[in-house]
Amino acid sequence: MSAAITARGLEKTYARGAHEIRAVAGIDLDIDEGELCVLLGPSGAGKTTLLHLLGLLDSPTAGHLEVLGVSVTGLSRREATKLRGGRLGFVFQEFCLVPELTARENVALPAMLRGDLRAEPERWLRRVGLGDRLDHTPSQLSGGQMQRVAIARALASEPRLLLADEPTGQLDGETASEVYRLLAELNQSEGLTIIAATHDPLLAEHAPRKLRLEAGVLLPEGAP
Ligand code: ADP
Ligand code: MG
């Protein structure tokens, strides 16, 4: 089994005036390819900061990090962007769809921006159960459907690691479970490694692996 994530003493400190905030305060973490992990913790625990570090959207202030076997601690911004575009996918709480574009266009956009003209938005939209919503714009879709478009957009770059930050945070209970089930199903069928942050313990109930973050520190796994 190869490693998706290897972190040692990972830290992210923000300077706030005279004092510092240790948003991620020394994390050791190993995640294998093919795992589905839920990252739990109260608001302010450092979930978003950690996901940004793991997704190369931000760089750590200390520690060592390998993502998909590549040591990313000293990577240049250009190298990080390349790794991100080719192998990492992101899903955010706010969906982040372009309101003027249809589902099909939203899914095709990142690939087009990379100059990749082989994008098959229909295939990915069908994969998330939206084969009949190809030409709808975000305002014509429900919250759960918008998030599924965002998931299809992430899948279209054929990532090996999908990072999701509160992907169900704007959805009601039943829709949230549906989106979570879709992620679990993608993990099972495609072997896609997924790390999803949530503060909803109900959603995490069935997750194969739960990581609990508190004040920037991971609690020992398996503890009650
Ligand atoms: P979570 O996603 O678990 O709610 P965050 O990672 O957003 O937690 O935040 C962790 C801590 O880091 C919080 O105390 C937050 O205020 C602080 N923080 C996050 N981003 C910044 C930033 N850009 N500048 C300063 N402090 C930040
Ligand atoms: Mg957050």
Side-chain angles (χ1 to χ4, degrees):
M1 189 77 76
S2 45
I5 297 289
T6 309
R8 294 291 175 270
L10 196 65
E11 285 195 26
K12 179 69 186 185
T13 307
Y14 295 111
R16 216 6 118 68
H19 65 281
E20 292 187 328
I21 298 171
R22 288 178 87 205
V24 169
I27 279 180
D28 297 333
L29 178 61
D30 292 280
I31 295 175
D32 283 333
E33 285 208 40
E35 283 201 80
L36 166 59
C37 298
V38 166
L39 180 61
L40 287 161
S43 179
K47 303 183 296 297
T48 295
T49 305
L50 179 59
L51 285 183
H52 284 187
L53 295 179
L54 302 182
L56 316 185
L57 293 170
D58 204 349
S59 41
T61 40
H64 182 74
L65 175 63
E66 288 177 27
V67 178
L68 299 169
V70 180
S71 174
V72 299
T73 320
L75 225 54
S76 72
R77 188 173 284 196
R78 175 192 286 251
E79 289 166 326
T81 306
K82 196 166 164 225
L83 184 62
R84 213 165 50 223
R87 294 201 244 163
L88 307 183
F90 295 89
V91 175
F92 304 96
Q93 178 173 351
E94 304 81 11
F95 321 133
C96 301
L97 301 175
V98 182
E100 293 81 10
L101 300 183
T102 65
R104 189 201 304 265
E105 291 164 342
N106 265 288
V107 172
L109 187 63
M112 281 168 57
L113 292 176
R114 280 200 309 275
D116 177 359
L117 300 175
R118 295 164 306 153
E120 299 173 276
E122 299 82 6
R123 172 177 163 210
W124 300 108
L125 283 163
R126 276 198 298 273
R127 186 69 191 79
V128 301
L130 290 178
D132 57 350
R133 293 289 188 279
L134 300 174
D135 296 309
H136 287 53
T137 57
S139 68
Q140 298 167 330
L141 297 168
S142 71
Q145 290 170 337
M146 283 195 262
Q147 192 57 300
R148 283 192 276 153
V149 173
I151 292 170
R153 176 181 58 189
L155 294 176
S157 54
E158 304 199 37
R160 282 166 62 194
L161 172 61
L162 184 73
L163 299 161
D165 195 0
E166 311 265 3
T168 61
Q170 303 220 353
L171 307 176
D172 63 63
E174 183 50 37
T175 315
S177 312
E178 274 169 28
V179 165
Y180 178 75
R181 277 199 297 273
L182 171 63
L183 292 177
E185 203 245 305
L186 290 167
N187 166 257
Q188 284 292 307
S189 59
E190 330 271 323
L192 179 63
T193 313
I194 301 180
I195 308 172
T198 178
H199 59 252
D200 182 356
L202 277 180
L203 215 62
E205 215 170 304
H206 305 289
R209 186 173 175 194
K210 300 175 198 43
L211 303 169
R212 289 193 176 76
L213 198 60
E214 257 183 52
V217 189
L218 281 178
L219 303 184
E221 284 181 61

